[in-house]
Amino acid sequence: MFPSTSPDTGRDPWADGAPDGPAGPAGGPAPGPRPAPDDDTGSRRERGPRRFRKGGAPRRSEDDDVEPDEEPIEPVEVHRPLSLTVAGFAALLGVGLVLGAQTAGPGHRLPFAVIVFGVQLLFVLAWTMAMRPPALLLVALTSGVVAAAADVAAVQTDVAGLAPLGFVALGGFLLGVLGQLVRRVDRVRVTDSLGTTLLIVVGVVAFATLITLSRIPAGTQAITVCLVATGVALTVARLTDAVLAWPRLAPQVPRGAAGVVVGAMAGTLTSALLGSYLVGFTPTSAALIGLVTAATAVLADLAVGYAEAGRLMAGEPPTMWIARHMQGPLGGFALAAPAAYAMCVLFL
């Protein structure tokens, strides 16, 4: 015979020590199953929203990560002899181009073209060694051929203009890219070299705009004003860095804002003084084109310093000493040349 009552009869439903109370509906709904404790002993229970203290800030929990303070970056040392050397190179480069422009005349532009070609070769050497494209020798040879072709086009064309130079630059860029695509070793890094090849090819073609500028009316005077302003701006900027490289624009770049500003102002003042003596210029017009070219050259020189600092921070080995310090002034003159052409065409 089975017992007439259940085995659980008389057993307390609150056997776990819960408070006594009626088990029926009067005591409220029956308690549901309790959630199982977290098996991971190292985890914390979920908490509700933090209560703010009277001070206003929430109480910091013990497991909040404390962010370590960033270590200050020590600025790169500015080498005064090096700044003086770069300033001297910028001055010599400006004097050579200005004196070469004075030799140009109707039907007699070959000496100036030879001087420009020499500067273009320096540009190719410095920029290829500094930026190190995958096919360095191929890019250097292509850029040299483009420089010669651009000079010939600037001298031999019937009408002085930038269209022949643009075609030469486009052809040289395509030739450099195709030459790297043919080589299996350089094909993988061809995308990395597109910017480098374009910069070098456009740079050498930009110098050829000086030859084209010498063929238009008032072009030689414009070259004198612009290149003197550029040379003075670059030289004064580097000299100021040798004396007072402050305030530092970036800890990794050994340049100061004072040099950039003082250099651009000195170049503008020099061009205004030249404009009062040259035929076809006024101090105002000369100061305007001098300001544009001087500021362009100084900013290009500064950008080269930032690019070199970025390569060093990326872990790339430093480039040839003389190449990376020639790169800034050469880049400044390369960018100032088309700026001088544009200002002469627009305002003279």
Side-chain angles (χ1 to χ4, degrees):
M1 294 291 294
F2 291 99
S4 59
T5 58
S6 174
D8 296 333
T9 303
R11 182 173 296 179
D12 190 0
W14 302 97
D16 295 336
D20 296 336
R34 296 183 181 179
D38 195 355
D39 294 337
D40 190 1
T41 58
S43 61
R44 298 175 58 89
R45 296 180 179 177
E46 296 183 358
R47 299 180 178 179
R50 296 181 181 177
R51 294 183 179 180
F52 287 87
R53 294 180 291 179
K54 293 183 178 181
R59 180 173 295 178
R60 193 179 186 87
S61 60
E62 297 177 357
D63 58 342
D64 288 345
D65 296 333
V66 179
E67 297 182 359
D69 296 336
E70 296 182 358
E71 298 181 358
I73 301 176
E74 296 184 0
V76 179
E77 182 182 0
V78 179
H79 299 281
R80 293 184 177 180
L82 179 60
S83 298
L84 296 175
T85 304
V86 177
F89 173 71
L92 290 176
L93 190 61
V95 170
L97 288 173
V98 171
L99 293 180
Q102 301 303 318
T103 63
H108 191 68
R109 295 182 177 86
L110 185 60
F112 185 40
V114 172
I115 294 175
V116 170
F117 182 70
V119 176
Q120 288 170 324
L121 292 182
L122 286 177
F123 181 88
V124 171
L125 173 64
W127 279 69
T128 51
M129 294 302 297
M131 303 189 73
R132 293 191 303 273
L136 189 147
L137 184 59
L138 176 63
V139 173
L141 293 177
T142 303
S143 302
V145 173
V146 169
D151 295 342
V152 171
V155 173
Q156 298 295 332
T157 52
D158 297 332
V159 179
L162 297 182
L165 301 183
F167 292 132
V168 171
L170 180 60
F173 173 70
L174 294 178
L175 181 62
V177 173
L178 291 176
Q180 296 176 67
L181 289 175
V182 171
R183 300 181 57 179
R184 182 177 301 177
V185 178
D186 303 322
R187 195 181 305 164
V188 180
R189 298 182 56 194
V190 67
T191 55
D192 299 336
S193 65
L194 288 178
T196 303
T197 306
L198 181 62
L199 280 176
I200 298 174
V201 169
V202 171
V204 295
V205 173
F207 278 106
T209 58
L210 295 175
I211 304 175
T212 305
L213 184 58
S214 65
R215 297 180 56 186
I216 64 178
T220 303
Q221 291 85 349
I223 292 174
T224 302
V225 172
C226 295
L227 293 188
V228 167
T230 301
V232 170
L234 293 174
T235 304
V236 172
R238 292 288 185 166
L239 290 176
T240 306
D241 289 335
V243 177
L244 180 64
W246 181 88
R248 295 292 292 271
L249 297 173
Q252 300 85 359
V253 181
R255 301 293 304 275
V260 176
V261 176
V262 173
M265 292 175 62
T268 305
L269 178 61
T270 305
S271 62
L273 293 176
L274 286 176
S276 61
Y277 294 100
L278 294 178
V279 178
F281 282 88
T282 62
T284 303
S285 61
L288 179 61
I289 64 174
L291 173 62
V292 173
T293 53
T296 301
V298 171
L299 292 178
D301 187 16
L302 181 63
V304 169
Y306 273 92
E308 180 64 23
R311 287 193 293 266
L312 293 178
M313 292 178 64
E316 298 183 9
T319 57
M320 184 185 297
W321 181 87
I322 189 172
R324 68 174 182 267
H325 295 302
M326 291 170 55
Q327 189 184 7
L330 287 169
F333 277 98
L335 199 59
Y341 182 90
M343 295 300 294
C344 181
V345 172
L346 293 176
F347 295 98
L348 295 179

